Amino acid sequence: MSRKIKSAISIVIIVSVFFSSWIFAAASQKKIQDIYEQQYHDPILMLLYYIDNIYYDKSNIDYEKILDSTLDGLISGLDDPFAWYFDKRQTNENRIEESKEYGGVGLTVRYDTAKKAIVVVSPMSGTPGEKAGILPNDYIITVDGSPVSQIGYTPSVDRMRGEPGTAVKLEVFRDGWEETKIIEVPRAKIETKSVQYDLIEYNNKKIAYIRLTNFAEKSYEEMQTALSYFISKSKDGLVLDLRSNPGGFLNVAIDIGSMFVRNGKIVSVRYYNGEEETVIPEPEKYVNFLKDIPIVVLVNKGSASASEILTGALKDNSIATIIGKQTYGKATVQRPIQLPNGGEVWLPIGHYFTPNGTDIHLKGIDPDIDIDNPAVELKSVNPSESETTEAMLSTTNKPYINLSADSQLLKAFEVITEKSGGK
């Protein structure tokens, strides 16, 4: 097939994508078709024609990238900070974050721009990467024979992932070695945890600590496991850590909210068509022991969306003391829309309000006790001890805690100590 024919087919695909991915009611579809034909069709087709015919560097045209940019431009034109377009790869990353599982070797990595290589932050506990002997600060030079310096960071990470049971060859270098070593590492199903928990002793008190990193598909079940762990244990209070939790599934936030809220409201949602919905807790999901102990919720500027739904529910229903910094302020309900090119649009379809009717959009939730952590200094590319430990524990239920460097968590423990009867 000639390049011209391929180009023509690509143009047809680009133009037709505006029609093929939506199913509208007849009247709405006619309206959109009219808008497209009157305003979009000619400029887009004309520009594509000239790109394909007179663009100087046309031999290097990437029509898939042009399509991604076109779709991203449509969404950017809404001028809404919470209307997002994700290309095919970003959509796949979203799936991994939502499901918390993927096929791979189990390494937390980042890119060393100076060395143009992948540096290992840490292998995850119990994964093939750990069993292969890969250590923090190791450098991955090639993946299946392809140099990271040539193919880039993202394609290299993609090549390390794959079907569980298959293997990938990694060329590794470690400080102190005279030359690199090539090892073959089997891929496995890697499952990271969105809920981590432990019973912490502080000033003769036993405090249940739960860290919720996001509201993923399995987060409710993981929260059930965490709370079940504490049922039979002596405890003086509970800290729910929602710091830097960007949100996730609305239904998961409601399910977890029902574990803490017995009566009242969890959230109210107002949709694009004017309809309103008030969500009340599901009584069968309530965890009884929570009514008998003081609860603290930790938040910061990175606590957003579903995190704010849960925080608002616990604050407005006087269930927990909120400690930390003002939250992000994302009260948008988004609907993911899958597109034929493998990309995805997240389109705002409504706003939510806290049980007291407060609109926190672009405002956030103010904590009951405002306290910040010490400023974190910029670090070199080499992973710190805390980063390494946290990455290693990401496949376990065990949270990483450094109380000496965490003023917010320390304050939470002090509040629980005071509420549960002093020292």
Side-chain angles (χ1 to χ4, degrees), residues 4 46-58 61:
K4 286 291 183 183
M46 181 181 293
L47 182 54
L48 286 170
Y49 172 82
Y50 283 117
I51 287 173
D52 191 61
N53 283 275
I54 66 172
Y55 175 53
Y56 178 79
D57 199 23
K58 62 182 181 179
I61 295 173

Side-chain angles (χ1 to χ4, degrees), residues 220-236:
Y220 173 65
E221 289 76 13
E222 290 182 19
M223 184 65 78
Q224 283 181 310
T225 300
L227 291 174
S228 295
Y229 170 81
F230 294 118
I231 286 177
S232 61
K233 290 181 167 45
S234 174
K235 53 211 165 285
D236 298 290

